[in-house]
C-alpha cells in the first residue's frame, strides 16, 4: 500500500451540518454521528428532535422528494449540498473533519472508501439481510426459517471472510503497529471509526 500523505485538513467553518435520520434507532446514522463526535464539530440531528412524529415526517418527505431525490437515509444537508448513502456522506465529511489524509491525487480517498464500503457490505448490509432475507418490508418474524438459514451461512462463511479481510488490511498497512492498528496510514481515519462502530454494535452469536 502506498504511503498516504499525513497532513490533516480540518475545515469545520461554513454552513451547519444537518444529519437526517430516523429517530429511535441508531442505525446507519451512527456512522455519521461518530465523525462529528470524534471531531467535536456541532451538528443537528433529526433523530434527537423532541418531536418524534415531526422527525419521521422529515425523513419521509426527504425520501419522496422530487427536487433532490434521496432513496433512503441517512442524509446530510450542508448548505446547498444534500447527500445520501452512508459511505458517500462519510467520504465527503472526513477530510473536512480531519479524519482522512489530505489527498491531492484522490488515491487515499478511494482506498479509504474501498475499506469502508467493504466493512459496510459485510457488517451492515449482509448482517441486516440475515434478519430480512426475503423482504426488507416484512418483519423478521415473517421470515424466520429463511433468516435462520441465512444467519447460519453468514456466521459460518461470511463473518470469517470479512474479518480476515480486515486483518489483511491492517497487516498490509506499513504504518499500523500492534498498539495502533490503523486501517490506513499512521493515524485514526473515519475507516477506523466505522470498524469501531461495527465492533461495538455487532454481536455474533456463537
Ligand atoms: N446503502 C444505503 C442504505 C440506506 C438504507 O437502507 N437506509 C435505511 C435506514 S438505515 C432506510 O431508511 N431504508 C428504507 C428503504 O430502503 O426503503 C446507505 O448506506 O445509506
Amino acid at each position: 500500500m502506498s504511503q498516504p500523505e499525513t497532513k490533516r485538513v480540518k475545515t469545520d467553518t461554513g454552513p451547519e451540518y444537518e444529519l437526517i435520520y430516523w429517530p429511535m434507532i441508531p442505525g446507519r446514522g451512527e456512522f455519521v454521528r461518530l465523525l462529528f463526535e470524534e471531531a467535536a464539530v456541532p451538528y443537528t440531528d433529526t433523530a434527537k428532535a423532541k418531536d418524534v412524529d415531526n422527525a419521521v415526517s422529515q425523513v419521509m418527505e426527504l425520501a419522496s422528494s422530487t427536487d433532490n431525490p434521496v432513496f433512503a437515509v441517512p442524509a446530510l444537508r450542508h448548505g446547498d449540498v444534500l447527500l445520501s448513502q452512508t459511505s458517500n456522506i462519510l467520504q465527503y465529511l472526513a477530510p473536512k473533519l480531519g479524519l482522512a489524509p489530505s489527498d491531492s491525487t484522490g488515491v487515499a480517498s478511494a482506498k479509504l472508501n474501498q475499506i469502508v464500503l467493504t466493512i459496510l457490505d459485510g457488517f451492515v448490509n449482509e448482517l441486516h439481510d440475515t434478519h430480512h432475507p426475503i423482504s426488507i418490508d416484512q418483519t423478521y418474524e415473517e421470515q424466520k426459517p429463511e433468516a435462520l438459514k441465512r444467519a447460519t451461512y453468514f456466521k459460518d462463511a461470511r463473518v470469517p471472510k470479512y474479518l480476515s479481510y480486515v486483518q489483511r488490511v491492517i497487516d498490509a498497512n506499513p504504518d499500523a503497529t500492534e498498539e495502533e492498528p490503523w486501517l490506513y496510514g499512521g493515524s485514526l481515519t473515519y475507516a477506523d471509526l466505522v470498524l469501531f462502530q461495527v465492533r461495538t454494535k455487532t454481536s455474533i452469536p456463537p
Side-chain angles (χ1 to χ4, degrees), residues 8 10 12 30-43 94 97-100 182 187-194 196:
R8 298 305 173 103
K10 188 165 176 175
D12 55 10
E30 204 72 353
F31 293 107
V32 182
R33 287 182 199 110
L34 266 180
L35 268 66
F36 290 128
E37 297 294 338
E38 175 63 30
V41 167
Y43 62 104
L97 303 183
L99 290 166
W182 309 121
S187 55
L188 178 87
T189 67
Y190 75 102
D192 300 300
L193 293 177
V194 168
F196 165 80

Side-chain angles (χ1 to χ4, degrees), residues 17-198:
Y17 292 107
E18 298 172 60
L19 171 63
I20 300 134
Y21 195 72
W22 299 107
M24 316 303 275
I25 52 162
R28 289 178 172 91
E30 204 72 353
F31 293 107
V32 182
R33 287 182 199 110
L34 266 180
L35 268 66
F36 290 128
E37 297 294 338
E38 175 63 30
V41 167
Y43 62 104
T44 64
D45 186 344
T46 51
K48 292 182 186 155
K50 287 207 175 79
D51 184 346
V52 171
D53 290 343
N54 182 35
V56 171
S57 304
Q58 281 191 57
V59 171
M60 308 266 276
E61 253 169 54
L62 191 66
S64 58
S65 159
T66 49
D67 298 340
N68 205 336
V70 160
F71 184 79
V73 292
L76 177 79
R77 197 173 271 125
H78 185 216
D80 295 336
V81 176
L82 177 67
L83 295 174
S84 65
Q85 288 289 354
T86 310
S87 61
N88 194 37
I89 294 170
L90 302 181
Q91 195 177 20
Y92 173 79
L93 283 176
K96 295 178 171 51
L97 303 183
L99 290 166
S102 70
D103 182 14
S104 48
T105 62
V107 172
S109 175
K111 290 270 185 189
L112 276 165
N113 194 39
Q114 172 178 305
I115 296 167
V116 166
L117 284 170
T118 310
I119 295 172
L120 294 178
D121 273 354
F123 295 108
V124 177
N125 303 333
E126 288 196 31
L127 176 68
H128 173 273
D129 290 350
T130 61
H131 284 66
H132 303 272
I134 304 297
S135 161
I136 62 163
D137 295 326
Q138 287 179 333
T139 63
Y140 161 66
E141 283 72 20
E142 289 173 283
Q143 41 197 319
K144 253 180 160 173
E146 295 89 354
L148 182 60
K149 280 190 199 161
R150 183 74 187 251
T152 304
Y153 169 71
F154 177 70
K155 178 168 73 75
D156 293 346
R158 302 301 283 172
V159 170
K161 186 166 181 179
Y162 278 107
L163 288 178
S164 140
Y165 164 77
V166 169
Q167 189 61 55
R168 284 187 290 128
V169 171
I170 296 169
D171 292 346
N173 178 7
D175 299 318
T177 63
E178 207 160 314
E179 295 73 39
E180 297 194 328
W182 309 121
L183 288 164
Y184 189 82
S187 55
L188 178 87
T189 67
Y190 75 102
D192 300 300
L193 293 177
V194 168
L195 183 61
F196 165 80
Q197 172 63 5
V198 301

